[in-house]
Amino acid sequence: MTNTMKSLLALCLFCGAGAVSTAETPVRHTSFKPGEIWTDNNGVHINAHGGGILYDKGTYYWYGEHKVEGDAGNRAQVGVHCYSSRDLYNWKDEGIALKVVEGDNSHPIAKGCILERPKVVYNKKTKKYVMWFHLELRGKGYGSAYAGVATATKPTGPFTFLKAGRVNPGKWPLNMDKKDQTMKTFKGVPGLTSSALPEGVRSEDMFKKDFEKGQMSRDMTIFVDDDGKAYHIYSSEENSTTHIAELTPDYTEHTGKFVRVFPGRFMEAPAIFKHKGKYYFIASGCTGWAPNAARSAVAPRIAGPWTELKNPCVGPKAGSTFGGQSTYILPVQGKPGKFIFMADIWRPQNAIDGRYMWLPIQFDGDQIKLEWKDEWKLEDM
């Protein structure tokens, strides 16, 4: 090999090494790019699916389901991942905030359980961070329909699991007609085979099915109102009806006060926010992992009455929520009246590859409006 060839080879190796170094350097993000890989401070795709955001002392904390490479199921192998950010673009990996339990398959959050849609809020009275999540016991499929709760003294955890179970056993909804508040007329209901109530079955009977043991709680979110009261909003009654349930002052229990809303409408992925004194709701229909048209609604009070609005999405692919599904509505600090719609683009065959779709919320009167953007910035809101 000539000296010239050796010099060229050395130059190529140097350039190649430089390229590897550059690729491994974390990207500094300056905008949102819905649906694209979103890397953290380590250059790794953020692993916080079905998540929610807590803003605390100048920092945003993003909590979500940690997925595992190659896992086509939805079983929790690790726990709830936490990231922190001060600008919403760039996120630091804070590790696993709530770990699943290994070595004890009887534990409610045993490795292999289904742990979905974690949401964290701060309780000013107890000075604790409270996490709620949808839980399905290991090996039980989606039959448990539990709500789980854990607490921590720091936003990054570690969170300590408290308990899990069905919601509000033996309690009647505040908005159920008094004449229906009796089990004497309940005759049982057949199993559901579609996203519709069986012919002749009233939604009140779907509620009574689980009256004694407690109501189902699947897809969920947590909302803290301006007066400090917190509410657990969840898909119940085989997903056919949504419940909005008040939490105790420490946010770790239910008070027994709740309402049933959107009876028989089969909504999943609830997200809620407050704007100019009104409450707004975004959810999806029930089509498994496949995307569908988003739902929206507005109410003068959190207990309702709720009025359904149109599909908030407009433009191409509006009928499938641009391929995503709602998970949380984020109020932007320092921008009153500005909110970000957070959604997941699920990849069920390789869940870790699921993408995030954040879009700015707009309004047309009471109607929520979501338009697709390939790229956008906070100053565009």
Side-chain angles (χ1 to χ4, degrees):
M1 184 181 291
T2 66
N3 288 336
T4 300
M5 292 177 66
K6 289 179 180 178
S7 298
L8 288 172
L9 178 59
L11 179 61
C12 290
L13 290 172
F14 174 79
C15 291
V20 170
S21 176
T22 301
E24 292 176 349
T25 301
V27 175
R28 184 72 183 170
H29 302 287
T30 58
S31 63
F32 300 108
K33 297 179 180 179
E36 294 193 12
I37 289 287
W38 195 349
T39 53
D40 65 12
N41 61 306
N42 298 315
V44 178
H45 182 40
I46 293 170
N47 199 343
H49 310 269
I53 303 281
L54 167 73
Y55 181 76
D56 185 65
K57 300 180 180 67
T59 300
Y60 294 94
Y61 295 91
W62 182 356
Y63 306 87
E65 306 160 25
H66 181 101
K67 303 297 186 182
V68 176
E69 181 70 38
D71 184 5
N74 196 35
R75 297 170 296 277
Q77 305 296 328
V78 179
V80 176
H81 212 133
C82 176
Y83 296 83
S84 66
S85 173
R86 297 184 71 86
D87 64 6
L88 290 178
Y89 301 128
N90 299 282
W91 293 87
K92 177 185 176 183
D93 185 353
E94 298 285 0
I96 304 303
L98 175 67
K99 295 181 179 180
V100 296
V101 174
E102 297 192 51
D104 180 4
N105 291 342
S106 66
H107 195 283
I109 59 168
K111 182 177 180 179
C113 68
I114 295 173
L115 197 162
E116 298 179 328
R117 299 183 178 271
K119 303 293 184 287
V120 175
V121 291
Y122 178 66
N123 188 285
K124 293 180 181 179
K125 294 180 180 179
T126 64
K127 294 181 171 53
K128 288 187 177 181
Y129 298 86
V130 184
M131 177 189 294
W132 283 88
F133 49 89
H134 165 214
L135 176 69
E136 301 289 348
L137 300 178
R138 175 188 167 97
K140 303 293 185 180
Y142 277 84
S144 301
Y146 281 3
V149 61
T151 61
T153 56
K154 297 190 302 181
T156 54
F159 280 77
T160 300
F161 174 79
L162 298 183
K163 64 176 184 177
R166 291 286 183 93
V167 180
N168 288 321
K171 301 293 184 181
W172 295 106
L174 296 177
N175 62 342
M176 179 177 278
D177 195 306
K178 290 292 184 182
K179 67 180 176 59
D180 281 317
Q181 294 184 20
T182 174
M183 290 298 293
K184 293 180 180 179
T185 59
F186 178 62
K187 299 179 181 179
V189 294
L192 294 181
T193 57
S194 66
S195 293
L197 292 177
E199 186 175 352
V201 173
R202 301 167 68 232
S203 67
E204 289 82 0
D205 288 328
M206 290 298 298
F207 170 82
K208 292 177 183 179
K209 176 175 70 72
D210 295 315
F211 176 75
E212 293 180 355
K213 65 181 178 181
Q215 300 301 320
M216 292 179 162
S217 174
R218 289 183 176 149
D219 279 11
M220 55 137 285
T221 192
I222 299 293
F223 174 75
V224 179
D225 210 340
D226 299 333
D227 60 4
K229 284 188 177 182
Y231 299 87
H232 180 204
I233 299 98
Y234 52 95
S235 300
S236 193
E237 303 173 32
E238 302 286 1
N239 294 348
S240 67
T241 297
T242 303
H243 289 192
I244 299 177
E246 183 184 78
L247 295 177
T248 54
D250 67 0
Y251 300 170
T252 66
E253 305 265 1
H254 294 85
T255 65
K257 297 178 180 179
F258 67 104
V259 293
R260 301 170 68 243
V261 296
F262 314 118
R265 288 289 285 133
F266 286 86
M267 300 222 199
E268 288 185 325
I272 194 169
F273 66 105
K274 190 175 184 179
H275 177 57
K276 294 183 177 179
K278 294 182 179 180
Y279 299 84
Y280 291 87
F281 180 92
I282 300 179
S284 77
C286 295
T287 54
W289 296 108
N292 55 61
R295 317 270 184 88
S296 65
V298 63
R301 297 175 298 278
I302 194 165
W306 286 87
T307 301
E308 281 202 58
L309 305 169
K310 298 183 296 184
N311 177 356
C313 301
V314 296
K317 297 186 178 180
S320 63
T321 315
F322 314 119
Q325 184 186 40
S326 50
T327 185
Y328 192 73
I329 306 297
L330 171 62
V332 181
Q333 297 299 315
K335 287 181 173 285
K338 301 298 182 181
F339 303 87
I340 295 174
F341 171 73
M342 293 172 52
D344 292 276
I345 299 175
W346 300 108
R347 300 283 177 88
Q349 297 309 310
N350 187 22
I352 196 173
D353 190 38
R355 307 298 173 85
Y356 309 105
M357 185 179 78
W358 289 22
L359 295 171
I361 288 180
Q362 304 173 63
F363 290 91
D364 182 4
D366 273 343
Q367 178 62 51
I368 303 166
K369 185 179 176 183
L370 296 169
E371 293 182 292
W372 176 261
K373 295 180 182 295
D374 291 326
E375 182 177 8
W376 65 281
K377 298 184 177 183
L378 290 171
E379 50 263 40
D380 298 333
M381 299 183 79

